[in-house]
Amino acid sequence: MRRRISALALTAALAGGALFAALPAQTATAAPTATCKPAEMRNDISALRSKAQKLKRLGEPEAARRANAQADALQRKLDACVNSERNSSKRWS
């Protein structure tokens, strides 16, 4: 009798674990894809570059360097996004 109850409890626990393990995989496939907004990113890059120039004129080279680094990082992200969109539209031959 004890073995039957423990076997049933174990079976129920394993079935519940399999059910909960399957739920995140289903929700992950329904997630929306990320899209880049090139115009918005270019505006942000331009704003960061002008901020860096202003900081440099005000005598804050370290803050200017950080602003330029942020602009460079955003530029790399934009380039990667544009390249991925360009390459994903090509047909496989």
Side-chain angles (χ1 to χ4, degrees):
M1 181 79 163
R2 281 187 177 174
R3 287 185 182 166
R4 260 188 252 157
I5 293 174
S6 62
L8 287 174
L10 180 64
T11 305
L14 288 175
L19 177 65
F20 288 124
L23 287 178
Q26 293 172 353
T27 57
T29 58
T33 59
T35 59
C36 65
K37 300 176 182 174
E40 204 173 290
M41 292 174 88
R42 285 186 184 101
N43 288 338
D44 292 343
I45 291 168
S46 176
L48 283 169
R49 297 262 188 235
S50 64
K51 178 182 175 183
Q53 288 175 354
K54 181 180 177 183
L55 287 169
K56 190 174 180 182
R57 280 194 307 267
L58 291 174
E60 306 232 3
E62 198 59 34
R65 186 187 60 79
R66 282 193 302 269
N68 268 328
Q70 287 176 343
D72 290 341
L74 197 55
Q75 181 67 47
R76 284 191 299 272
K77 189 174 180 180
L78 174 65
D79 292 342
C81 187
V82 169
N83 285 338
S84 69
E85 284 184 355
R86 185 182 307 133
N87 292 336
S88 68
S89 64
K90 290 182 180 177
R91 286 186 163 197
W92 293 95
S93 52

